């Protein structure tokens, strides 16, 4: 068992030891244990992208409707990077709790719920380009699962709880978050449009799909018709593509090939817009100037003077 330490908040339920897949823990949760559903009644569940896909499918909703009804937003860092948590009722109980029966979406429960009481850590050593996945243990007073006799390796517990599929589809997203955090001021606060794109491409897959399949997107990026068809059919493939797109948006990586003349087209389109705005503003100012002089009292004019000769007094 690894005994590396990391900083945690004072009185945190998270153990300061960094553990690995071979670490053995004592834990078992089952219907009938005295604390059954206690964690669901004190829910603080942050969602990752694949969690949203599984839950919106389970509930038969679009991602947009799921986000509006069952999640609340929060800022993951000082730059305003958007995150989401599962919504609870006024007592802090998860809205997916099905009374005494337990989780109402158990087969599609989020990553955090599957891992509990293990916490997944994405750690990157200084000078390394890749993050290592390690773990820590969460011990909360209400949880009696730690008192159970069963001993199990963390690696086996992950397999038992079905987190490997979730990790495979969320891994690149965790790396994006870590890269942004480690880059610090060299990246700076992303513009608001980038944050909006991050939210859409991370969580709102149905809206992101409409964005990717739009004529404007197709004319901008070089992707095959077969690839677009795959994005239309598969949430998982669309999610993988969203990570490529976010690397380009957030870090300027050329992860999605643009059409040869896409940049020139955007420049030309923007020039047309700015030229139109400039012409409109000039006309607006001229009209305002004419209106101002039209309402000047006659006493201010002399017979040998006309409004066009007057000096501007703005």
């Amino acid at each position: 068992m690894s005994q590396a330490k990391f900083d945690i908040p004072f009185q945190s339920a998270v153990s300061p030891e960094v553990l690995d897949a071979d670490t053995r823990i004592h834990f078992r949760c089952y219907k009938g244990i005295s604390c059954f559903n206690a964690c669901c009644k004190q829910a603080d569940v942050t969602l990752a992208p694949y969690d949203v896909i599984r839950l919106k499918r389970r509930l038969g909703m679009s991602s947009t409707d799921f986000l509006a009804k069952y999640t609340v937003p929060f800022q993951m860092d000082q730059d305003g990077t958007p995150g989401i948590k599962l919504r609870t009722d006024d007592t802090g109980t998860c809205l997916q709790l099905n009374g005494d029966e337990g989780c109402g979406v158990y087969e599609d429960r989020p990553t955090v719920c599957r891992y509990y009481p293990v916490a997944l850590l994405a750690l990157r050593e200084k000078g390394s380009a890749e993050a290592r996945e390690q773990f820590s243990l969460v011990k909360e007073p209400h949880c009696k699962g730690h008192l159970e006799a069963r001993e199990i390796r963390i690696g086996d517990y992950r397999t038992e709880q079905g987190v490997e599929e979730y990790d495979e589809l969320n891994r690149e997203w965790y790396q994006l978050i870590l890269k942004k955090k480690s880059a610090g001021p060299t990246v700076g606060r992303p513009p608001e449009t980038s944050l909006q794109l991050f939210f859409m491409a991370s969580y709102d897959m149905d809206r992101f799909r409409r964005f990717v399949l739009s004529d404007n997107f197709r004319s901008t990026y070089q992707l095959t018709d077969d690839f677009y068809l795959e994005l239309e059919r598969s949430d998982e493939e669309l999610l993988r593509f969203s990570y490529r797109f976010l690397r380009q948006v957030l870090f300027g990586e050329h992860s999605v090939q643009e059409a040869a003349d896409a940049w020139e087209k955007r420049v030309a389109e923007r020039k047309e817009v700015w030229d139109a705005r400039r012409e409109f503003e000039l006309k607006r100012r001229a009209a305002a100037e004419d209106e101002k002089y039209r309402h000047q009292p006659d006493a201010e004019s002399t017979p040998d003077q006309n409004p066009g000769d007057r000096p501007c007094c703005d």
Side-chain angles (χ1 to χ4, degrees):
M1 177 176 70
S2 172
Q3 295 294 322
K5 301 280 186 174
F6 60 98
D7 293 333
I8 57 174
F10 181 66
Q11 292 186 334
S12 171
V14 181
S15 168
E17 286 82 21
V18 177
L19 313 177
D20 58 36
D22 290 325
T23 303
R24 305 185 75 83
I25 62 173
H26 286 272
F27 187 78
R28 183 177 175 226
C29 181
Y30 56 95
K31 188 176 181 180
I33 194 171
S34 62
C35 61
F36 191 60
N37 293 340
C39 53
C40 303
K41 295 176 180 178
Q42 305 176 40
D44 183 15
V45 179
T46 298
L47 298 178
Y50 187 56
D51 298 335
V52 177
I53 289 176
R54 290 289 293 260
L55 288 169
K56 66 106 173 177
R57 281 181 188 162
R58 173 62 179 251
L59 297 170
M61 309 172 71
S62 70
S63 56
T64 305
D65 290 341
F66 170 78
L67 292 169
K69 186 173 183 178
Y70 290 116
T71 72
V72 291
F74 74 101
Q75 293 186 355
M76 290 194 289
D77 57 31
Q78 62 184 5
D79 291 333
T81 304
I84 55 172
K85 292 178 181 285
L86 271 183
R87 188 183 295 274
T88 66
D89 65 16
D90 292 340
T91 69
T93 300
C94 177
L95 297 182
Q96 305 304 328
L97 181 62
N98 184 24
D100 293 337
E101 294 302 310
C103 178
V105 292
Y106 186 78
E107 293 82 1
D108 298 287
R109 65 198 184 280
T111 308
V112 169
C113 304
R114 289 173 181 272
Y115 259 106
Y116 191 86
V118 176
L120 173 65
L121 307 174
L123 304 176
R124 186 167 68 177
E125 296 179 356
K126 187 175 181 180
S128 173
E130 295 295 328
R132 291 185 299 118
E133 292 179 350
Q134 293 187 289
F135 314 96
S136 62
L137 196 61
V138 179
K139 286 191 174 184
E140 298 176 294
H142 64 75
C143 181
K144 307 305 179 186
H146 298 282
L147 304 179
E148 294 289 311
R150 186 184 74 154
E151 185 179 76
I152 187 170
R153 292 174 59 255
I154 287 179
D156 294 332
Y157 185 71
R158 292 178 69 247
T159 300
E160 176 187 270
Q161 297 300 313
V163 300
E164 292 167 331
E165 177 183 355
Y166 282 68
D167 284 349
E168 192 274 322
L169 284 158
N170 287 324
R171 185 169 289 115
E172 286 190 65
W173 187 75
Y174 294 140
Q175 292 173 350
L176 281 169
I177 301 299
L178 187 62
K179 180 174 182 176
K180 183 183 177 303
K181 181 178 179 180
S182 62
T186 60
V187 172
R189 181 183 175 87
E192 188 62 30
T193 53
S194 294
L195 294 176
Q196 292 171 357
L197 281 170
F198 177 87
F199 183 91
M200 177 176 65
S202 295
Y203 312 119
D204 200 344
M205 282 294 104
D206 293 315
R207 188 155 64 97
F208 183 59
R209 176 177 283 110
R210 292 194 297 271
F211 171 73
V212 169
L213 297 179
S214 68
D215 290 340
N216 185 54
F217 192 94
R218 287 172 180 262
S219 66
T220 302
Y221 297 98
Q222 286 186 334
L223 301 170
T224 66
D225 290 340
D226 287 344
F227 187 71
Y228 277 115
L229 185 60
E230 192 67 21
L231 298 184
E232 186 173 5
R233 292 173 174 173
S234 170
D235 286 332
E236 285 79 3
E237 288 306 313
L238 183 63
L239 183 60
R240 291 185 178 97
F241 176 73
S242 77
Y243 301 147
R244 289 171 55 191
F245 181 71
L246 285 174
R247 287 201 301 271
Q248 189 148 312
V249 170
L250 295 176
F251 307 114
E253 298 180 16
H254 293 290
S255 48
V256 184
Q257 183 63 43
E258 291 187 339
D261 58 347
W263 173 255
E264 291 77 7
K265 284 183 178 179
R266 284 204 297 274
V267 170
E269 289 169 358
R270 289 173 182 172
K271 183 177 185 302
E272 289 178 5
V273 171
W274 281 109
D275 286 347
R277 287 180 179 175
R278 180 175 179 275
E279 183 178 355
F280 173 80
E281 182 63 16
L282 290 173
K283 289 180 178 179
R284 186 193 66 80
R285 290 185 181 183
E289 194 75 6
D290 289 345
E291 186 71 13
K292 179 173 68 175
Y293 288 126
R294 190 160 43 246
H295 291 285
Q296 290 285 357
D298 293 340
E300 292 184 8
S301 298
T302 60
D304 61 342
Q305 211 175 23
N306 64 67
D309 298 325
R310 255 188 227 114
C312 179
C313 53
D314 289 341

